[in-house]
Amino acid sequence: MKVTVSRKAHFNAAHRLFVENWSDEKNQNLFGKCSNSNFHGHNYELIVDVRGEVDLVTGVVIDLKELKDIIKNEVEELLDHKNLNLDVPYFKKVIPTAENICIFIWNILRDKISNDNELSVTLYETPRNFVKYSGN
Ligand code: NI
């Protein structure tokens, strides 16, 4: 029997969204306030879903303490209270939209979680705007 185990996490980060060779006006039209030149912050909420077989001996899919530590050490340490554009090398070339941050986090976690388990990452940029990535 497969069950999805989920862990919530949180980080604060700043960003600015812009396509480098577009005019300010064109960037404002697509990204709105997220394109303001002096950066701004979001309270990101992260939900990590790990789906897999329930172990017959332990009764769990994954050690939640281990999952908590992986998220803390690999994601929060890297992104919390950072300016994504300036402080995180990956986002020097990649625009730090919720979509791209979600893919970035998924790739980090995919390396750390057993391939026997499916992984899905949901990222809330605001309480109403969120994205989800499950690979591919
Ligand atoms: Ni923004």
Side-chain angles (χ1 to χ4, degrees), residues 15-17 31 33-35 40-42 44 96 125:
H15 74 172
R16 180 193 174 203
L17 304 183
F31 298 119
K33 290 177 177 174
C34 276
S35 195
H40 60 276
H42 289 283
Y44 290 97
E125 190 168 79

Side-chain angles (χ1 to χ4, degrees), residues 44 70 120:
Y44 290 97
I70 291 170
S120 186

Side-chain angles (χ1 to χ4, degrees), residues 16-24 27 30-31 35 95:
R16 180 193 174 203
L17 304 183
F18 65 106
V19 177
E20 209 164 277
N21 54 8
W22 281 11
S23 68
D24 284 350
N27 275 308
L30 177 61
F31 298 119
S35 195
I95 302 173

Side-chain angles (χ1 to χ4, degrees), residues 72-106:
K72 184 173 190 301
N73 297 333
E74 307 296 332
V75 176
E76 291 173 44
E77 290 287 332
L78 195 62
L79 303 180
D80 190 36
H81 284 73
K82 297 291 175 64
N83 179 313
L84 300 178
N85 301 74
L86 302 181
D87 299 334
V88 182
Y90 180 86
F91 294 114
K92 296 244 188 261
K93 293 261 167 66
V94 175
I95 302 173
T97 56
E99 291 89 330
N100 283 333
I101 301 166
C102 193
I103 293 167
F104 178 65
I105 293 170
W106 186 92

